[in-house]
Amino acid sequence: MSNPPGHQPAVVWFRDDLRLGDHPALHAALELNRPIVAVYVLDEESAGIRPLGAAARWWLDQSLRSLATSLELLGSRLVLRRGPADRVIDELVHETDAAAVVWNRRYGAAERAVDTRIKSAMQARGIDAHSFAGSLLFEPWTIQTGQGGPYSVFTPFWRSCLAAAPPRPPVPAPTAIAPWDGVVNSDELDTWALSPTAPDRAAGLRENWTPGEIAAQAALDRFLATSLADYASRRDEPARNVTSRLSPHLRWGEISPYQVWHATQKVQRGASGSAAASGIRFLTELGWREFAYHVLFHAPDLATANLRPAFDAFPWPELDPQALKAWQHGRTGFALVDAGMRELWRTGSMHNRVRMVAASFLIKNLLIDWREGERWFWDTLVDADPASNPFGWQWVAGSGADAAPYFRVFNPELQAAKFDPQEQYIRENVPEYGTDAYPARLVDLGETRRAALAAYERVKNTTV
Ligand code: FAD
């Protein structure tokens, strides 16, 4: 393919940034005054890329439909290709005789390896290849301890972020996009069969979520207008619905953390008292997301290896598949755990406080390796995140960065009494709770806690 002079397109490669607003790569491509070829590549083949879970695939399917519609409204279209990204991008650049390829960065090791290879291959062919910061407020390698290393404790990490240059303002969404007028083939999204059919969980996901950039902005606006003021005081109560529910939108980049940051700051500037405190608290939670990525960047096998190697000595008993199944399906006889696990299966999400309690129960009362739980969450969460999910699991397990100490074992009954005192959340998710149909307790909390602490002695006595 050869283009008329000046008409070589720029390829904009969409990845975990399925939006048009605050998309620095798209913005830079438009500044080149070239026609645009927008592409999404479903790469399940490159070495080390973790296959998406079922709930995440459903979200991706819906989000791609939304992005395609938004591009069409501006005069462009979304090209869909499947295969190893090296090959696919190379073919696309060749087919369209593109002069440039741009993208926003990813932070997993396998993804970075792919991106580095593509950048070198493009540059070797004289094609501009540029990457941009669009998914994190602070690039992981720019935040360093006094000794020049990564942080392993959140508070100094976040202090260091806040002392750095403030996050740039969001870049505006384009109002029109000049499409490339050559012929370029695209897969039909339906042929990717991303929506789960066996079992068919899509109905529950559809009922609870609307993926896409417009819904993401609406969720942010709604949260800032109606819930921010109560966030600091009520965020731990699962029946309250005061958290933002932005996590899947952030996971897929339907909204950028820069947009969230600046919109929150704007509201906060006019606020005082509890609303101001809530704003700070909310932005600190965004900070935990940054920290999880900081940790992942420096420990790429976060989902499979204990961050603290001493935990390799933990004597996990042989896996009891029945106990794991009871946990996964919300039939442990501990109401808050069961409510959370059923919420997860039904809606693709779980409240943060309940995630901590359910994870602690799996690890410290069922003595099941945190990696089993991480895998289940990876498959069932719509916000299943390569950084926040393993980070959260290792935090609860005690093996992670700035983790809860292992001896802190959440008691699910006390947690329920404290955070769901009216049992509203429990009854919403476990309708048979309190009747004979509800399962008996699977384990004795005191006994299993003691067994877990005894097992932990092995870790304590290991000096790695
Ligand atoms: P809000 O309270 O409104 O917070 C705003 C945003 O800050 C969130 O959308 C999220 O992006 C970020 N955030 C908040 N808390 C955390 C946290 N502890 N760690 C990292 N980021 C945070 N979050 C995910 O996005 N994906 C996951 O796969 C994930 N897995 C988890 C697994 C476990 C075992 C635990 C304990 C936590 C996990 N979290 C995960 C963190 C947290 O539970 C969710 O981000 C939060 O419940 C999302 O709800 P929200 O958007 O209403 O959060």
Side-chain angles (χ1 to χ4, degrees):
M1 171 86 221
S2 74
N3 294 286
H7 277 69
Q8 280 179 282
V11 170
V12 180
W13 180 13
F14 285 86
R15 301 107 67 85
D16 294 338
D17 48 10
L18 305 178
R19 64 179 183 271
L20 300 183
D22 193 39
H23 196 294
L26 173 63
H27 189 74
L30 290 166
E31 300 261 284
L32 296 173
N33 265 326
R34 293 186 175 281
I36 299 291
V37 173
V39 63
Y40 182 86
V41 181
L42 182 63
D43 182 356
E44 296 170 303
E45 295 171 50
S46 293
I49 300 271
R50 187 175 189 183
L52 294 172
R57 288 167 73 84
W58 173 81
W59 191 285
L60 174 64
D61 182 72
Q62 300 295 308
S63 195
L64 288 174
R65 287 174 204 277
S66 165
L67 179 65
T69 305
S70 301
L71 283 166
E72 279 159 27
L73 286 171
L74 297 190
S76 183
R77 66 185 279 236
L78 182 63
V79 174
L80 300 172
R81 294 279 175 100
R82 185 176 200 159
D86 300 53
R87 195 195 71 209
V88 172
I89 296 294
D90 189 69
E91 284 171 359
L92 190 65
V93 165
H94 189 75
E95 285 166 35
T96 58
D97 188 25
V101 186
V102 292
W103 61 76
N104 297 324
R105 283 179 210 119
R106 303 180 288 188
Y107 301 91
E111 290 80 1
R112 281 190 286 130
V114 169
D115 295 354
T116 305
R117 285 200 304 273
I118 294 179
K119 199 178 250 185
S120 318
M122 292 300 140
Q123 286 169 347
R125 286 169 55 181
I127 292 161
D128 276 345
H130 289 292
S131 63
F132 298 85
S135 303
L136 290 181
L137 298 170
F138 303 96
E139 295 293 70
W141 54 90
T142 64
I143 303 296
Q144 296 183 337
T145 63
Q147 289 73 44
Y151 280 97
S152 55
V153 178
F154 174 73
T155 303
F157 164 80
W158 193 230
R159 207 181 296 129
S160 177
C161 291
L162 296 177
R168 59 161 177 77
V171 292
T175 50
I177 298 178
W180 183 65
D181 53 12
V183 178
V184 57
N185 293 331
S186 169
D187 289 357
E188 286 294 329
L189 189 52
D190 287 339
T191 66
W192 287 2
L194 291 170
S195 255
T197 49
D200 178 12
R201 297 185 47 225
L205 302 180
R206 257 195 315 273
E207 248 171 54
N208 285 283
W209 296 101
T210 308
E213 184 173 10
I214 294 170
Q217 282 294 340
L220 175 61
D221 294 347
R222 189 183 51 239
F223 169 71
L224 292 177
T226 64
S227 304
L228 181 67
D230 290 330
Y231 182 79
S233 56
R234 299 281 192 211
R235 59 183 289 275
D236 273 321
E237 298 171 41
R240 289 279 175 177
N241 263 332
V242 301
T243 68
S244 69
R245 287 169 60 84
L246 280 171
S247 54
H249 300 295
L250 281 162
R251 156 67 183 91
W252 293 103
E254 297 168 350
I255 195 164
S256 83
Y258 296 88
Q259 292 171 310
V260 178
W261 178 273
H262 285 283
T264 308
Q265 290 237 313
K266 199 165 154 202
V267 171
Q268 215 200 331
R269 265 197 290 277
S272 58
S274 70
S278 277
I280 292 171
R281 185 65 214 241
F282 178 65
L283 293 177
T284 307
E285 294 308 315
L286 272 192
W288 278 97
R289 176 177 178 274
E290 299 283 322
F291 187 48
Y293 272 94
H294 182 79
V295 171
L296 175 73
F297 180 81
H298 293 287
D301 50 4
L302 190 65
T304 51
N306 290 309
L307 199 64
R308 292 177 53 202
F311 271 75
D312 294 348
F314 194 89
W316 297 108
E318 195 183 330
L319 176 69
D320 173 354
Q322 293 306 326
L324 177 60
K325 212 165 174 186
W327 177 80
Q328 289 172 336
H329 296 289
R331 301 190 57 78
T332 67
F334 292 93
L336 188 60
V337 174
D338 291 344
M341 297 309 293
R342 293 192 200 184
E343 181 192 16
L344 173 59
W345 182 252
R346 193 169 50 81
T347 71
S349 189
M350 195 196 294
H351 186 275
N352 179 60
R353 166 65 41 181
V354 193
R355 289 188 204 205
M356 293 193 285
V357 173
S360 172
F361 183 79
L362 182 82
I363 300 166
K364 299 177 186 177
N365 294 106
L366 299 183
L367 273 180
I368 293 180
D369 191 326
W370 62 265
R371 281 160 279 229
E372 290 289 347
E374 198 275 343
R375 277 200 288 275
W376 182 255
F377 272 31
W378 180 259
D379 195 46
T380 51
L381 278 172
V382 286
D383 66 16
D385 186 277
S388 300
N389 194 43
F391 177 92
W393 277 94
Q394 293 225 42
W395 185 88
V396 176
S399 59
D402 202 2
Y406 189 85
F407 55 78
R408 177 161 174 216
V409 180
F410 285 100
N411 178 317
E413 294 177 333
L414 297 181
Q415 290 282 312
K418 186 163 179 198
F419 296 111
D420 190 29
Q422 314 295 325
E423 298 182 339
Q424 190 184 335
Y425 174 77
I426 288 173
R427 286 176 194 285
E428 256 167 42
N429 289 286
V430 187
E432 85 280 20
Y433 175 65
T435 72
D436 290 346
Y438 185 60
R441 290 185 178 88
L442 188 63
V443 290
D444 179 275
L445 288 180
E447 245 171 55
T448 49
R449 180 175 185 277
R450 279 190 292 282
L453 295 182
Y456 175 61
E457 288 299 310
R458 194 80 75 83
V459 172
K460 262 180 34 192
N461 298 330
T462 307
T463 48
V464 181

